[in-house]
Amino acid sequence: MVLKFGVIGTGAIGQEHIERLSKKLIGSQVVAVNDINEASAKEAVKKMGINAHFYKNAHDLINADEVDAIVVTSWGPTHEEFVLAAIAVGKPVFCEKPLAVTADGCKKIVDAEIKHGKRLVQVGFMRPFDSTYRQLKAALDSGEIGQPLLLNCKHFNPIVGDSYTTDMAIVDTLIHELDVLRWLLDDDYKSARVIYPRKTSKASGHLMDPQMVILETTKGIVINTEIFVNCMYGYDIQCEVIGENGIASLPEPTQVVFRKDGNLQRAILVDWKKRFIDAYDVELQAFINNVTSGQFTQGASAWDGYSAAVAADACVKAQQTGNQEHISMPATPSFYRKK
Ligand code: NAI
Ligand code: ISE
C-alpha cells in the first residue's frame, strides 16, 4: 500500500518532507500540495520533479479523495485549523511543531482526536528519534552517572529573520527541549523562569536575544537552557546532564576532524536540516508505518504536543512577568497512555 500525501506549506521544511516522502521513504508519495504562495509551491514541486496537484485552498486538499494523509508544514499559528480539519474528516495528519501555539489550541485538538475515537495525529518532535539523543538516554537509563540533578542546554541558531519574535524563542524553538527533556528524564515540569542577559547587537530591535530559561521538574531537577538565535557561528544544540556520579553530554554530530596548517579543527553544522536529517526520516517513516498498520505506536502524540505547550505557555508568561511561573501538568488520559 502506498500512502498518498497532501502537504500544506511548501517552504523550508515542507520541501524537505516532500523530498523524503517522494524519494526516500517506503510506502509514500506526494500527490497534492498547497501554499498561500502558489508560485513558490508550483516551483518547488517542479524543481523536485514530482507530479503533485496544487490546491488553492488547504481545506480542499484535506478533503480531496486522492489524499489519504496530510502533512502540515505551514507557519505555526495555522496548524490548529488544519489539524482539526483533518481530524474532522478522519484523515491521519503529521503536524510539524508546534502542534498549536497555545496549550488551549492543542487541547482542542486532543479533545477532537479523543472524540474521533482513534489516533490520527503525530507531531514533528523529531529529537527522540535522533541517534545522539537516544545514546544520551541510554547512558542516563543505565545509571552510569546516578540520578540526574542539573542540566545545562544550548539551543543556538546562527541567525533568524525579522519575523522571529521573542515569544517564538519559546513556542517555536525551546518547544523542542520542552518535548525531548520530558522523554529524556521521564519527568515533567513544575516551574519556569526567564532571564534576559545583555542583548546581542545582531538581533532585530523587537527581539530579546539571547534568553535563559530555568525550568524545575517534578523530580527536583533544574534545567538551564540558553536560547540564542543569532549566535552567528553555527547551529549548535547541546545538552549536558550532571548526575550524582558524573556528567553525560549529548554527543556532537559526527564530523571529520582536520589537522592542517597548524590547526586542529572540525566543522560545526549551520542549520537544522543537516543536524537532524536522519531523525526526520525516521519520524516520518514511523508515521507512514503507524497509518498503514492502524496502530500509532511511535512518534509524538497530540498529548505530547499539548504537554509541551502547557510548559511553553508558562515560559511565555515568565518572559512577560520576570517571575518564576508555576506549571501544572495534567495526568495523561488513558487514550494516550502507551499500551
Ligand atoms: P517557511 O516560512 O520556510 O515555510 C512555511 C510555508 O508555509 C511558507 O511557504 C508559507 O507561504 C506557508 N504558509 C503560511 N501560512 C499558510 C497557510 N495559511 N496556508 C498554506 N500555507 C501557508 O517555514 P519553515 O521553516 O518551513 O517552518 C514551517 C513549520 O515547520 C513551522 O511550524 C516550524 O516550527 C516547523 N519547523 C520544524 C523544524 C523541526 O526541526 N522540526 C525545522 C523547521 C521548521
Ligand atoms: C525551527 O522551526 C526548528 O524547529 C528548529 O529545529 C529550531 O532549531 C529553530 O529554532 C526553529 O525556529
Side-chain angles (χ1 to χ4, degrees), residues 11-13 34-36 73-75 79 96-97 126 172 280:
I13 201 164
N34 158 267
D35 196 294
I36 49 174
T73 41
S74 47
W75 293 327
H79 292 183
E96 263 302 340
K97 40 60 64 179
M126 75 289 172
D172 201 59
Y280 295 128

Side-chain angles (χ1 to χ4, degrees), residues 126-135 183 250 275-276 279:
M126 75 289 172
R127 291 192 183 180
F129 289 98
D130 172 69
S131 60
T132 62
Y133 272 99
R134 296 181 82 83
Q135 291 172 58
W183 164 80
L250 187 69
R275 173 62 181 83
F276 293 109

Side-chain angles (χ1 to χ4, degrees), residues 223-287:
I223 302 164
N224 170 44
T225 302
E226 297 156 10
I227 307 164
F228 190 7
V229 292
N230 291 286
C231 76
M232 297 292 129
Y233 71 81
Y235 184 75
D236 198 359
I237 303 299
Q238 299 180 26
C239 181
E240 175 189 71
V241 183
I242 295 155
E244 295 165 300
N245 309 325
I247 295 176
S249 296
L250 187 69
E252 291 282 344
T254 309
Q255 295 285 323
V256 172
V257 178
F258 292 96
R259 283 173 166 73
K260 183 169 170 282
D261 304 331
N263 290 307
L264 174 63
Q265 62 190 42
R266 56 175 286 280
I268 289 177
L269 295 175
V270 293
D271 78 15
W272 45 267
K273 293 186 189 73
K274 293 274 187 301
R275 173 62 181 83
F276 293 109
I277 191 162
D278 294 336
Y280 295 128
D281 290 345
V282 177
E283 72 166 345
L284 263 174
Q285 188 63 64
F287 179 70

Side-chain angles (χ1 to χ4, degrees), residues 165-172 207 211 316 319-320:
T165 52
T166 296
D167 63 321
M168 282 176 72
I170 306 295
V171 298
D172 201 59
L207 176 61
Q211 298 182 40
V316 169
Q319 284 183 320
Q320 295 155 356

Side-chain angles (χ1 to χ4, degrees), residues 147-151 185 187 215-223 242:
Q147 295 299 328
L149 308 172
L150 170 67
L151 277 72
L185 301 169
D187 201 347
L215 294 157
E216 188 178 357
T217 75
T218 53
K219 291 177 184 173
I221 300 168
V222 173
I223 302 164
I242 295 155

Side-chain angles (χ1 to χ4, degrees), residues 291-304:
V291 175
T292 47
S293 69
Q295 298 290 322
F296 271 63
T297 54
Q298 295 181 68
S301 67
W303 187 259
D304 294 317

